Amino acid sequence: MRTVIIGAGISGLTAALMAKEAGADVTVITVGFGGLQLGQGTLDIFDAPEPLNAIAALPENHPYRTITPESINEGVSAFRKIVPLDGSVEESTVFPTALGSLRRTGLYPHSMAAGRIEDGASYLLVGFSGLKDFYPALAAENLANQGVNARSHTVTLTAQGDTALAFSRSLALPGAAEDLGRALAQAAREGERIGIPAVVHEADFERIRQAAGHPVFQIPLPPPSIPGLEMNELARQACAEARIRMHLNSKAVGFTAADGRISAVKVQVAGSVKVIPADHVVYAGGGIESGAILLDSHRVLSETVFGLPVFAEEEILNGDYWGSQQPLFAAGLKVDSAMRPVDTEGKPVFENLHAVGGLLSGAQRAHEKSGEGIALGSAAQAINAILRSDS
Ligand SMILES: Cc1cc2nc3c(=O)[nH]c(=O)nc-3n(C[C@H](O)[C@H](O)[C@H](O)COP(=O)(O)OP(=O)(O)OC[C@H]3O[C@@H](n4cnc5c(N)ncnc54)[C@H](O)[C@@H]3O)c2cc1C
């Protein structure tokens, strides 16, 4: 079973790993890695205290009305095998952001766990001098304004630059994590949980926590985020260990088809076009943000590899740029329960083409915090449909 996956974001990598585990011959074609490394290192299912209950009430055209809760759980479990995470699909947890607002998520790295907002808990937010993107006094004040018991402190750390990456390298040096842990211990009052900007890898974090002797947690920063990069790297490594064929810098540009089935994907590599035979194709190209769907100057939307119909509201931009959500970001493909893109009559366009993740229409992912749950659930549902069709 030759399964070609287009795209190496969270949906493509997860689909590739699930297909490989089921015994498929898997090839990933991708321009580059996807949005994982720009994320926070968390998995959002839906912005509600109980995501699975909330998604049952979504409108009919939302991807979660096609993706089953079983698929979401299966996709998340597959991802958890490669990236250890706390939390759950059923119940969200609320954490402070770098600005001191409150953000809900489903699953999160262990290094963020002690940051969950709980009644009666007190938080000390610690910044590092010279690090941009985290201002502990501002974050603590914003939290306090929302009734959270929080105060701030800054420690002096040296790094070769002002970014999360620079501080991450500096804290990986021998003894640096322990030194920071001891500085945190001095600053904290009894019972306080200590929040630091998320600049350390999980392995270094444990050394900080032990030296601090207090509950310590990481607070995600804007991209490039260390937890997001770490998540991407673990997924990439898992694909390499599973010996999944990965063609980087390769762009799917077309296909051949016969009798309603895709038989090969055409791939632009450097100056030539390669033809990769396929029994099944999982299209995980992301949405408008990754270029898999284009908007031209006449406001016409098109899908760039297979020429699939793109569904959107009639008015795709509403002119209210600072207010309500732009319908454009919910534009995408409609799929059947096997995750196959359908035409305007609801019929699958190709028997063996499945679309997942950011390509699917009907969700405001960033606003609803649904992008990762949709990506994982649709990947699992597509791979299960492929396995069923082959059995
Ligand atoms: C600004 C922003 C903020 C967001 N915030 C959140 C949030 O807070 N919570 C949340 O849950 N979701 C959020 N999302 C949505 C979330 O990031 C996406 O839903 C998720 O990344 C989709 O994953 P994916 O694997 O489907 O696609 P992507 O991660 O976009 O990956 C697409 C992959 O396809 C490849 N590709 C594209 N075209 C081709 C081609 N022709 N040939 C070969 N490869 C190709 C790309 O190189 C890439 O590897 C946000 C999105 C944006 C843009």
mmCIF file of all heavy atoms in Angstrom, residues 6-12 29-36 44 103 250-253 283-287 289-292 304-305 356-359 365-366 369-373 375, ligand 1:
data_model
loop_
_atom_site.group_PDB
_atom_site.id
_atom_site.type_symbol
_atom_site.label_atom_id
_atom_site.label_comp_id
_atom_site.label_asym_id
_atom_site.label_seq_id
_atom_site.Cartn_x
_atom_site.Cartn_y
_atom_site.Cartn_z
ATOM 1 N N ILE A 6 1.218 14.519 1.517
ATOM 2 C CA ILE A 6 1.709 15.836 1.075
ATOM 3 C C ILE A 6 1.633 16.783 2.263
ATOM 4 O O ILE A 6 0.540 17.089 2.748
ATOM 5 C CB ILE A 6 0.863 16.378 -0.094
ATOM 6 C CG1 ILE A 6 0.915 15.403 -1.274
ATOM 7 C CG2 ILE A 6 1.362 17.758 -0.516
ATOM 8 C CD1 ILE A 6 -0.073 15.743 -2.392
ATOM 9 N N GLY A 7 2.805 17.228 2.752
ATOM 10 C CA GLY A 7 2.842 18.167 3.868
ATOM 11 C C GLY A 7 3.434 17.545 5.119
ATOM 12 O O GLY A 7 3.211 16.366 5.412
ATOM 13 N N ALA A 8 4.206 18.343 5.854
ATOM 14 C CA ALA A 8 4.864 17.861 7.074
ATOM 15 C C ALA A 8 4.573 18.777 8.254
ATOM 16 O O ALA A 8 5.467 19.155 9.015
ATOM 17 C CB ALA A 8 6.365 17.717 6.839
ATOM 18 N N GLY A 9 3.302 19.144 8.384
ATOM 19 C CA GLY A 9 2.857 19.818 9.603
ATOM 20 C C GLY A 9 2.364 18.744 10.561
ATOM 21 O O GLY A 9 2.594 17.536 10.351
ATOM 22 N N ILE A 10 1.630 19.157 11.584
ATOM 23 C CA ILE A 10 1.164 18.186 12.587
ATOM 24 C C ILE A 10 0.272 17.118 11.951
ATOM 25 O O ILE A 10 0.376 15.936 12.291
ATOM 26 C CB ILE A 10 0.455 18.914 13.762
ATOM 27 C CG1 ILE A 10 0.071 17.917 14.852
ATOM 28 C CG2 ILE A 10 -0.744 19.723 13.311
ATOM 29 C CD1 ILE A 10 -0.414 18.582 16.128
ATOM 30 N N SER A 11 -0.559 17.502 10.969
ATOM 31 C CA SER A 11 -1.475 16.505 10.392
ATOM 32 C C SER A 11 -0.723 15.531 9.487
ATOM 33 O O SER A 11 -0.949 14.323 9.544
ATOM 34 C CB SER A 11 -2.631 17.187 9.650
ATOM 35 O OG SER A 11 -2.157 17.970 8.595
ATOM 36 N N GLY A 12 0.202 16.043 8.664
ATOM 37 C CA GLY A 12 0.942 15.174 7.753
ATOM 38 C C GLY A 12 1.869 14.218 8.494
ATOM 39 O O GLY A 12 1.924 13.014 8.194
ATOM 40 N N ILE A 29 5.969 14.068 0.990
ATOM 41 C CA ILE A 29 6.463 15.098 0.068
ATOM 42 C C ILE A 29 6.163 16.426 0.719
ATOM 43 O O ILE A 29 5.003 16.692 1.058
ATOM 44 C CB ILE A 29 5.670 15.043 -1.251
ATOM 45 C CG1 ILE A 29 5.916 13.737 -1.971
ATOM 46 C CG2 ILE A 29 6.005 16.220 -2.133
ATOM 47 C CD1 ILE A 29 4.842 13.482 -3.008
ATOM 48 N N THR A 30 7.176 17.254 0.892
ATOM 49 C CA THR A 30 6.866 18.524 1.550
ATOM 50 C C THR A 30 7.817 19.640 1.140
ATOM 51 O O THR A 30 9.003 19.405 0.904
ATOM 52 C CB THR A 30 6.864 18.367 3.090
ATOM 53 O OG1 THR A 30 6.311 19.544 3.671
ATOM 54 C CG2 THR A 30 8.247 18.119 3.668
ATOM 55 N N VAL A 31 7.259 20.824 1.081
ATOM 56 C CA VAL A 31 8.084 22.002 0.805
ATOM 57 C C VAL A 31 9.008 22.229 2.003
ATOM 58 O O VAL A 31 10.186 22.540 1.853
ATOM 59 C CB VAL A 31 7.166 23.233 0.572
ATOM 60 C CG1 VAL A 31 8.001 24.481 0.385
ATOM 61 C CG2 VAL A 31 6.246 23.008 -0.609
ATOM 62 N N GLY A 32 8.483 22.073 3.196
ATOM 63 C CA GLY A 32 9.270 22.260 4.421
ATOM 64 C C GLY A 32 8.439 21.765 5.582
ATOM 65 O O GLY A 32 7.367 21.192 5.369
ATOM 66 N N PHE A 33 8.914 21.991 6.818
ATOM 67 C CA PHE A 33 8.090 21.605 7.964
ATOM 68 C C PHE A 33 6.985 22.651 8.152
ATOM 69 O O PHE A 33 7.121 23.795 7.724
ATOM 70 C CB PHE A 33 8.950 21.427 9.215
ATOM 71 C CG PHE A 33 9.713 20.132 9.164
ATOM 72 C CD1 PHE A 33 11.035 20.106 8.752
ATOM 73 C CD2 PHE A 33 9.075 18.945 9.450
ATOM 74 C CE1 PHE A 33 11.719 18.900 8.651
ATOM 75 C CE2 PHE A 33 9.744 17.736 9.348
ATOM 76 C CZ PHE A 33 11.070 17.719 8.950
ATOM 77 N N GLY A 34 5.896 22.248 8.811
ATOM 78 C CA GLY A 34 4.709 23.106 8.898
ATOM 79 C C GLY A 34 4.677 23.972 10.138
ATOM 80 O O GLY A 34 5.719 24.387 10.663
ATOM 81 N N GLY A 35 3.466 24.223 10.624
ATOM 82 C CA GLY A 35 3.253 25.206 11.672
ATOM 83 C C GLY A 35 3.605 24.774 13.080
ATOM 84 O O GLY A 35 3.577 25.593 14.000
ATOM 85 N N LEU A 36 3.983 23.496 13.264
ATOM 86 C CA LEU A 36 4.265 23.024 14.633
ATOM 87 C C LEU A 36 5.301 23.895 15.336
ATOM 88 O O LEU A 36 5.159 24.229 16.497
ATOM 89 C CB LEU A 36 4.814 21.591 14.581
ATOM 90 C CG LEU A 36 3.869 20.442 14.870
ATOM 91 C CD1 LEU A 36 4.608 19.127 14.830
ATOM 92 C CD2 LEU A 36 3.171 20.624 16.208
ATOM 93 N N ASP A 44 -4.182 22.290 21.232
ATOM 94 C CA ASP A 44 -5.515 22.846 21.476
ATOM 95 C C ASP A 44 -6.546 21.934 20.830
ATOM 96 O O ASP A 44 -6.411 21.575 19.660
ATOM 97 C CB ASP A 44 -5.637 24.226 20.829
ATOM 98 C CG ASP A 44 -4.734 25.264 21.492
ATOM 99 O OD1 ASP A 44 -4.270 25.003 22.609
ATOM 100 O OD2 ASP A 44 -4.506 26.315 20.871
ATOM 101 N N ARG A 103 -5.244 31.552 28.993
ATOM 102 C CA ARG A 103 -5.448 30.794 27.752
ATOM 103 C C ARG A 103 -5.718 29.339 28.102
ATOM 104 O O ARG A 103 -5.023 28.750 28.921
ATOM 105 C CB ARG A 103 -4.156 30.871 26.910
ATOM 106 C CG ARG A 103 -4.265 30.234 25.551
ATOM 107 C CD ARG A 103 -2.919 30.300 24.838
ATOM 108 N NE ARG A 103 -3.032 30.004 23.433
ATOM 109 C CZ ARG A 103 -3.126 28.782 22.933
ATOM 110 N NH1 ARG A 103 -3.095 27.725 23.734
ATOM 111 N NH2 ARG A 103 -3.232 28.598 21.644
ATOM 112 N N SER A 250 10.388 19.728 -1.636
ATOM 113 C CA SER A 250 9.694 19.118 -2.769
ATOM 114 C C SER A 250 8.249 19.608 -2.764
ATOM 115 O O SER A 250 7.558 19.492 -1.754
ATOM 116 C CB SER A 250 9.693 17.595 -2.633
ATOM 117 O OG SER A 250 11.020 17.142 -2.536
ATOM 118 N N LYS A 251 7.815 20.120 -3.890
ATOM 119 C CA LYS A 251 6.465 20.686 -3.946
ATOM 120 C C LYS A 251 5.575 19.845 -4.849
ATOM 121 O O LYS A 251 5.917 19.606 -6.009
ATOM 122 C CB LYS A 251 6.560 22.105 -4.500
ATOM 123 C CG LYS A 251 5.279 22.841 -4.484
ATOM 124 C CD LYS A 251 5.479 24.285 -4.862
ATOM 125 C CE LYS A 251 4.143 25.005 -4.687
ATOM 126 N NZ LYS A 251 4.212 26.385 -5.004
ATOM 127 N N ALA A 252 4.458 19.384 -4.301
ATOM 128 C CA ALA A 252 3.479 18.671 -5.143
ATOM 129 C C ALA A 252 2.867 19.702 -6.088
ATOM 130 O O ALA A 252 2.385 20.747 -5.651
ATOM 131 C CB ALA A 252 2.407 18.035 -4.269
ATOM 132 N N VAL A 253 2.931 19.408 -7.382
ATOM 133 C CA VAL A 253 2.442 20.393 -8.367
ATOM 134 C C VAL A 253 1.351 19.832 -9.275
ATOM 135 O O VAL A 253 0.788 20.562 -10.085
ATOM 136 C CB VAL A 253 3.609 20.942 -9.230
ATOM 137 C CG1 VAL A 253 4.522 21.846 -8.413
ATOM 138 C CG2 VAL A 253 4.415 19.816 -9.877
ATOM 139 N N TYR A 283 -3.601 14.444 1.685
ATOM 140 C CA TYR A 283 -3.223 15.824 1.383
ATOM 141 C C TYR A 283 -3.282 16.613 2.692
ATOM 142 O O TYR A 283 -4.367 16.845 3.235
ATOM 143 C CB TYR A 283 -4.197 16.352 0.339
ATOM 144 C CG TYR A 283 -3.868 17.695 -0.268
ATOM 145 C CD1 TYR A 283 -2.615 18.288 -0.151
ATOM 146 C CD2 TYR A 283 -4.845 18.385 -1.001
ATOM 147 C CE1 TYR A 283 -2.341 19.512 -0.737
ATOM 148 C CE2 TYR A 283 -4.580 19.608 -1.599
ATOM 149 C CZ TYR A 283 -3.332 20.166 -1.449
ATOM 150 O OH TYR A 283 -3.060 21.384 -2.029
ATOM 151 N N ALA A 284 -2.084 16.973 3.195
ATOM 152 C CA ALA A 284 -1.985 17.679 4.476
ATOM 153 C C ALA A 284 -1.235 18.993 4.257
ATOM 154 O O ALA A 284 -0.322 19.344 4.997
ATOM 155 C CB ALA A 284 -1.263 16.795 5.498
ATOM 156 N N GLY A 285 -1.635 19.705 3.229
ATOM 157 C CA GLY A 285 -0.896 20.897 2.788
ATOM 158 C C GLY A 285 -1.164 22.162 3.573
ATOM 159 O O GLY A 285 -0.617 23.215 3.241
ATOM 160 N N GLY A 286 -1.978 22.097 4.638
ATOM 161 C CA GLY A 286 -2.302 23.322 5.386
ATOM 162 C C GLY A 286 -3.304 24.147 4.593
ATOM 163 O O GLY A 286 -3.806 23.701 3.556
ATOM 164 N N GLY A 287 -3.591 25.351 5.053
ATOM 165 C CA GLY A 287 -4.635 26.144 4.381
ATOM 166 C C GLY A 287 -4.051 27.312 3.629
ATOM 167 O O GLY A 287 -3.036 27.208 2.959
ATOM 168 N N GLU A 289 -2.656 29.890 4.844
ATOM 169 C CA GLU A 289 -1.385 30.371 5.391
ATOM 170 C C GLU A 289 -0.180 29.621 4.832
ATOM 171 O O GLU A 289 0.935 30.125 4.845
ATOM 172 C CB GLU A 289 -1.387 30.344 6.930
ATOM 173 C CG GLU A 289 -1.612 29.003 7.586
ATOM 174 C CD GLU A 289 -3.084 28.699 7.875
ATOM 175 O OE1 GLU A 289 -3.959 29.255 7.180
ATOM 176 O OE2 GLU A 289 -3.332 27.891 8.785
ATOM 177 N N SER A 290 -0.371 28.403 4.323
ATOM 178 C CA SER A 290 0.779 27.643 3.812
ATOM 179 C C SER A 290 0.854 27.673 2.289
ATOM 180 O O SER A 290 1.767 27.122 1.699
ATOM 181 C CB SER A 290 0.699 26.188 4.280
ATOM 182 O OG SER A 290 -0.323 25.536 3.556
ATOM 183 N N GLY A 291 -0.112 28.281 1.639
ATOM 184 C CA GLY A 291 -0.077 28.400 0.179
ATOM 185 C C GLY A 291 -0.752 27.248 -0.551
ATOM 186 O O GLY A 291 -0.774 27.237 -1.779
ATOM 187 N N ALA A 292 -1.329 26.295 0.172
ATOM 188 C CA ALA A 292 -2.023 25.195 -0.508
ATOM 189 C C ALA A 292 -3.331 25.709 -1.116
ATOM 190 O O ALA A 292 -3.826 25.176 -2.106
ATOM 191 C CB ALA A 292 -2.308 24.067 0.472
ATOM 192 N N THR A 304 -4.277 24.350 -5.021
ATOM 193 C CA THR A 304 -3.174 24.454 -5.984
ATOM 194 C C THR A 304 -2.640 23.137 -6.556
ATOM 195 O O THR A 304 -1.887 23.177 -7.515
ATOM 196 C CB THR A 304 -1.987 25.203 -5.321
ATOM 197 O OG1 THR A 304 -1.661 24.521 -4.097
ATOM 198 C CG2 THR A 304 -2.336 26.647 -5.030
ATOM 199 N N VAL A 305 -2.970 21.991 -5.994
ATOM 200 C CA VAL A 305 -2.366 20.736 -6.488
ATOM 201 C C VAL A 305 -3.351 19.910 -7.319
ATOM 202 O O VAL A 305 -3.022 19.440 -8.411
ATOM 203 C CB VAL A 305 -1.829 19.874 -5.317
ATOM 204 C CG1 VAL A 305 -1.158 18.604 -5.853
ATOM 205 C CG2 VAL A 305 -0.849 20.668 -4.466
ATOM 206 N N VAL A 356 -6.736 16.584 5.037
ATOM 207 C CA VAL A 356 -6.736 16.693 6.508
ATOM 208 C C VAL A 356 -6.214 18.062 6.959
ATOM 209 O O VAL A 356 -5.646 18.812 6.166
ATOM 210 C CB VAL A 356 -5.855 15.569 7.134
ATOM 211 C CG1 VAL A 356 -6.425 14.185 6.830
ATOM 212 C CG2 VAL A 356 -4.411 15.647 6.651
ATOM 213 N N GLY A 357 -6.405 18.337 8.249
ATOM 214 C CA GLY A 357 -5.791 19.497 8.895
ATOM 215 C C GLY A 357 -6.301 20.838 8.411
ATOM 216 O O GLY A 357 -7.494 21.051 8.199
ATOM 217 N N GLY A 358 -5.369 21.746 8.201
ATOM 218 C CA GLY A 358 -5.688 23.138 7.881
ATOM 219 C C GLY A 358 -6.391 23.328 6.553
ATOM 220 O O GLY A 358 -6.878 24.422 6.265
ATOM 221 N N LEU A 359 -6.456 22.294 5.730
ATOM 222 C CA LEU A 359 -7.136 22.395 4.432
ATOM 223 C C LEU A 359 -8.658 22.377 4.555
ATOM 224 O O LEU A 359 -9.359 22.758 3.624
ATOM 225 C CB LEU A 359 -6.730 21.205 3.551
ATOM 226 C CG LEU A 359 -5.475 21.338 2.699
ATOM 227 C CD1 LEU A 359 -5.100 19.983 2.121
ATOM 228 C CD2 LEU A 359 -5.693 22.340 1.578
ATOM 229 N N ARG A 365 -9.750 28.356 13.143
ATOM 230 C CA ARG A 365 -8.854 27.596 14.029
ATOM 231 C C ARG A 365 -8.152 28.418 15.100
ATOM 232 O O ARG A 365 -8.117 28.027 16.267
ATOM 233 C CB ARG A 365 -7.796 26.885 13.176
ATOM 234 C CG ARG A 365 -8.408 25.832 12.303
ATOM 235 C CD ARG A 365 -7.413 25.394 11.244
ATOM 236 N NE ARG A 365 -7.960 24.285 10.502
ATOM 237 C CZ ARG A 365 -8.897 24.404 9.565
ATOM 238 N NH1 ARG A 365 -9.359 25.596 9.249
ATOM 239 N NH2 ARG A 365 -9.367 23.352 8.946
ATOM 240 N N ALA A 366 -7.565 29.562 14.696
ATOM 241 C CA ALA A 366 -6.807 30.353 15.668
ATOM 242 C C ALA A 366 -7.744 30.898 16.750
ATOM 243 O O ALA A 366 -7.414 30.906 17.936
ATOM 244 C CB ALA A 366 -6.079 31.486 14.951
ATOM 245 N N LYS A 369 -9.277 27.940 18.802
ATOM 246 C CA LYS A 369 -8.238 27.041 19.341
ATOM 247 C C LYS A 369 -8.599 25.590 19.006
ATOM 248 O O LYS A 369 -8.676 24.726 19.894
ATOM 249 C CB LYS A 369 -8.083 27.201 20.851
ATOM 250 C CG LYS A 369 -7.922 28.637 21.312
ATOM 251 C CD LYS A 369 -6.480 29.051 21.298
ATOM 252 C CE LYS A 369 -6.267 30.501 21.651
ATOM 253 N NZ LYS A 369 -6.415 31.447 20.549
ATOM 254 N N SER A 370 -8.847 25.378 17.724
ATOM 255 C CA SER A 370 -9.278 24.042 17.294
ATOM 256 C C SER A 370 -8.322 23.406 16.291
ATOM 257 O O SER A 370 -8.531 22.268 15.872
ATOM 258 C CB SER A 370 -10.663 24.134 16.642
ATOM 259 O OG SER A 370 -10.605 24.956 15.479
ATOM 260 N N GLY A 371 -7.277 24.159 15.877
ATOM 261 C CA GLY A 371 -6.452 23.707 14.749
ATOM 262 C C GLY A 371 -5.758 22.377 14.985
ATOM 263 O O GLY A 371 -5.727 21.515 14.097
ATOM 264 N N GLU A 372 -5.205 22.205 16.183
ATOM 265 C CA GLU A 372 -4.447 20.965 16.417
ATOM 266 C C GLU A 372 -5.370 19.755 16.575
ATOM 267 O O GLU A 372 -5.068 18.667 16.083
ATOM 268 C CB GLU A 372 -3.541 21.138 17.639
ATOM 269 C CG GLU A 372 -2.321 21.999 17.322
ATOM 270 C CD GLU A 372 -2.231 23.262 18.153
ATOM 271 O OE1 GLU A 372 -2.912 23.350 19.192
ATOM 272 O OE2 GLU A 372 -1.465 24.184 17.753
ATOM 273 N N GLY A 373 -6.485 19.947 17.251
ATOM 274 C CA GLY A 373 -7.447 18.841 17.395
ATOM 275 C C GLY A 373 -7.992 18.407 16.042
ATOM 276 O O GLY A 373 -8.117 17.210 15.763
ATOM 277 N N ALA A 375 -6.491 18.801 13.166
ATOM 278 C CA ALA A 375 -5.386 18.171 12.416
ATOM 279 C C ALA A 375 -5.201 16.711 12.836
ATOM 280 O O ALA A 375 -5.105 15.812 11.986
ATOM 281 C CB ALA A 375 -4.096 18.957 12.644
HETATM 282 C C1 LIG B 1 -1.454 32.921 13.016
HETATM 283 C C2 LIG B 1 -2.040 31.568 13.347
HETATM 284 C C3 LIG B 1 -2.319 31.266 14.675
HETATM 285 C C4 LIG B 1 -2.889 30.014 14.988
HETATM 286 N N1 LIG B 1 -3.168 29.747 16.281
HETATM 287 C C5 LIG B 1 -3.695 28.548 16.616
HETATM 288 C C6 LIG B 1 -3.967 28.236 17.969
HETATM 289 O O1 LIG B 1 -3.741 29.041 18.880
HETATM 290 N N2 LIG B 1 -4.501 27.007 18.242
HETATM 291 C C7 LIG B 1 -4.773 26.099 17.247
HETATM 292 O O2 LIG B 1 -5.253 24.990 17.561
HETATM 293 N N3 LIG B 1 -4.522 26.377 15.969
HETATM 294 C C8 LIG B 1 -3.997 27.571 15.620
HETATM 295 N N4 LIG B 1 -3.739 27.852 14.313
HETATM 296 C C9 LIG B 1 -4.049 26.827 13.290
HETATM 297 C C10 LIG B 1 -3.002 25.745 13.246
HETATM 298 O O3 LIG B 1 -1.716 26.326 13.215
HETATM 299 C C11 LIG B 1 -3.225 24.902 11.989
HETATM 300 O O4 LIG B 1 -4.553 24.468 11.985
HETATM 301 C C12 LIG B 1 -2.322 23.690 11.945
HETATM 302 O O5 LIG B 1 -0.986 24.099 11.949
HETATM 303 C C13 LIG B 1 -2.598 22.935 10.668
HETATM 304 O O6 LIG B 1 -1.636 21.915 10.569
HETATM 305 P P1 LIG B 1 -1.426 21.194 9.181
HETATM 306 O O7 LIG B 1 -0.489 20.071 9.434
HETATM 307 O O8 LIG B 1 -2.730 20.858 8.576
HETATM 308 O O9 LIG B 1 -0.771 22.299 8.222
HETATM 309 P P2 LIG B 1 0.602 23.096 8.323
HETATM 310 O O10 LIG B 1 1.211 23.030 9.659
HETATM 311 O O11 LIG B 1 0.314 24.444 7.730
HETATM 312 O O12 LIG B 1 1.548 22.296 7.335
HETATM 313 C C14 LIG B 1 1.357 22.314 5.945
HETATM 314 C C15 LIG B 1 2.487 21.544 5.310
HETATM 315 O O13 LIG B 1 2.223 21.362 3.920
HETATM 316 C C16 LIG B 1 3.373 21.701 3.158
HETATM 317 N N5 LIG B 1 2.877 22.042 1.820
HETATM 318 C C17 LIG B 1 1.960 22.978 1.468
HETATM 319 N N6 LIG B 1 1.735 22.925 0.127
HETATM 320 C C18 LIG B 1 2.519 21.919 -0.349
HETATM 321 C C19 LIG B 1 2.748 21.364 -1.641
HETATM 322 N N7 LIG B 1 2.113 21.826 -2.750
HETATM 323 N N8 LIG B 1 3.629 20.349 -1.769
HETATM 324 C C20 LIG B 1 4.297 19.859 -0.702
HETATM 325 N N9 LIG B 1 4.123 20.352 0.553
HETATM 326 C C21 LIG B 1 3.246 21.370 0.724
HETATM 327 C C22 LIG B 1 4.040 22.788 3.964
HETATM 328 O O14 LIG B 1 5.404 22.913 3.628
HETATM 329 C C23 LIG B 1 3.839 22.231 5.386
HETATM 330 O O15 LIG B 1 4.803 21.273 5.691
HETATM 331 C C24 LIG B 1 -3.172 29.070 13.968
HETATM 332 C C25 LIG B 1 -2.866 29.386 12.629
HETATM 333 C C26 LIG B 1 -2.314 30.615 12.322
HETATM 334 C C27 LIG B 1 -1.992 30.931 10.886
#
